[in-house]
Amino acid sequence: MRREDVRAFMDLLKRLPSNATKHYPGKTLQQAADLAERAGLPRMSSDTANGYLRSLGAIFRFAVDEGYVEADPSAGIMLPKAPGRAKDKRSPFDVSDLRAIFSAPLYTGAVNDEAGYARPGPNIVRRGRFWVPIIALFSGMRMNEICQLTVDDFVEEDGVVIILIREDDDDETKRVKTEAGIRFVPVHPELERIGLLAFVQNRRANGPKVPLFPDLPVGSTGYRSDPFSKYFNRFRHKVGITDRKKVFHSFRHTYRDALREADISDQKVRALGGWSSSRTEENYGRGLRASTLARDIQAVKYDGLDLSHLHVKQLS
């Protein structure tokens, strides 16, 4: 590949929409770019495009090291970083937001967890709509990472139960956003108190790889997160959270703030949240042990938020 080929690839990336394979499955990148332009779809961010260029560069650097090529033709080729706009940045939830979310009828008693989720009633239905926000709050997982979970993503390692965030070659809809996103997160004690592990165990009776939340509908793109995103947008308005900067992804920002407050090291923060690092030394060794991260995640808490009304009473 020549340097002009890399520049042509960069020009193509600039034309591609976000989630091109979701919008145009089976199409080539060129076809997807052409169709997206005709449809007026927003283009992928420069950060995302540069991520692809960095991956290409990593391949070439390997090839140089191994003597397959003499030079990296992608060296220095990057899109300029788009200036950040404050209005586009997501804000974390504050404790009043969290109280509003988890004191909604869905968590205190609703008609049901479908059309009647916002009307007070006798039922607390522990299915997808109940669990996805709680898991996000205590794991920092992205919406799609949670919605796509299967029961075999919960395993015991190093004496603790962890959640595997991973891709599946047999399931094209099971994907992670970045390479750093492939990780594991220990199950937070509060999730255990609320009954997540018991819920997972009950779902195991239906098969070894069944979806954890089959009740969440699959969207036209094949992802459960797409319909859930629309639902959660309605939900947050119902509980009075109308700030456009506060969306489902705010749980991830809230979680990162909680990790900072717990004085957890940067390396552990990146491991727990799937945030990437440019530090080469972190690519060496086996990584952090599950028991090590489990000790740290216990320190994640939200002062002023009481979820004891959701705890599952243990049978004596």
Side-chain angles (χ1 to χ4, degrees), residues 11-299:
D11 290 338
L12 177 58
L13 290 175
K14 288 193 290 187
R15 298 178 54 230
L16 283 171
S18 300
N19 301 315
T21 55
K22 285 187 185 181
H23 291 295
Y24 303 111
K27 300 295 184 183
T28 66
L29 293 181
Q30 185 67 56
Q31 290 170 333
D34 293 341
L35 290 168
E37 285 182 344
R38 289 193 212 114
L41 293 180
R43 295 175 178 177
M44 73 167 63
S45 69
S46 58
D47 285 343
T48 301
N50 283 336
Y52 289 117
L53 290 169
R54 279 191 290 270
S55 296
L56 181 63
I59 295 171
F60 277 121
R61 287 191 294 277
F62 171 80
V64 170
D65 291 342
E66 295 297 317
Y68 297 128
V69 297
E70 293 183 358
D72 173 9
S74 70
I77 297 180
M78 283 282 168
L79 287 168
K81 189 174 179 63
R85 295 186 299 171
K87 69 177 183 179
D88 291 333
K89 296 186 183 299
R90 304 308 187 190
S91 298
F93 291 126
D94 57 38
V95 69
S96 63
D97 298 324
L98 296 177
R99 286 173 180 163
I101 291 169
F102 296 111
S103 62
L106 185 69
Y107 295 100
T108 56
V111 173
N112 54 47
D113 66 338
E114 296 176 338
Y117 72 87
R119 300 200 303 274
N123 304 304
I124 299 178
V125 184
R126 295 175 184 246
R127 298 197 302 174
R129 288 183 170 182
F130 174 95
W131 282 115
V132 175
I134 296 177
I135 294 173
L137 183 62
F138 288 101
S139 72
M141 292 170 64
R142 298 176 176 89
M143 182 193 299
N144 190 57
E145 291 172 346
I146 302 172
C147 291
Q148 71 183 12
L149 285 171
T150 49
V151 295
D152 61 318
D153 290 325
F154 289 76
V155 300
E156 185 171 332
E157 181 178 305
D158 197 23
V160 299
V161 179
I162 61 175
I163 306 172
L164 300 174
I165 298 106
R166 54 184 175 171
E167 297 185 339
D168 188 341
D169 291 337
D170 295 328
D171 183 354
E172 291 186 356
T173 67
K174 194 166 185 179
R175 292 289 180 261
V176 294
K177 186 175 181 181
T178 65
E179 184 177 351
I182 300 174
R183 65 197 189 280
F184 67 85
V185 181
V187 173
H188 191 284
E190 188 71 348
L191 291 176
E192 192 168 353
R193 287 189 286 266
I194 296 172
L196 178 60
L197 297 185
F199 176 80
V200 173
Q201 189 59 35
N202 287 337
R203 289 291 301 141
R204 288 191 199 279
N206 297 282
K209 293 188 68 172
V210 296
L212 193 59
F213 306 119
D215 52 292
L216 296 181
V218 177
S220 59
T221 59
Y223 293 84
R224 298 182 193 275
S225 55
D226 289 344
F228 189 88
S229 178
K230 296 183 177 73
Y231 150 75
F232 189 81
N233 193 47
R234 298 191 301 271
F235 173 89
R236 69 181 179 87
H237 278 88
K238 293 279 189 183
V239 301
I241 302 174
T242 57
D243 186 342
R244 294 178 64 183
K245 296 180 184 177
K246 294 182 177 181
V247 295
F248 188 90
H249 199 69
S250 295
F251 282 117
R252 190 160 161 81
H253 289 269
T254 306
Y255 174 76
R256 182 145 194 173
D257 281 347
L259 292 172
R260 292 189 185 101
E261 288 294 323
D263 199 26
I264 295 173
S265 72
D266 288 345
Q267 184 180 5
K268 291 176 182 176
V269 165
R270 286 191 291 272
L272 287 166
W275 288 286
S276 60
S277 169
S278 59
R279 298 180 181 180
T280 305
E281 70 270 15
E282 292 188 11
N283 296 324
Y284 290 83
R286 296 183 178 178
L288 293 159
R289 293 177 56 179
S291 58
T292 300
L293 292 178
R295 285 194 297 272
D296 283 292
I297 206 171
Q298 290 180 39

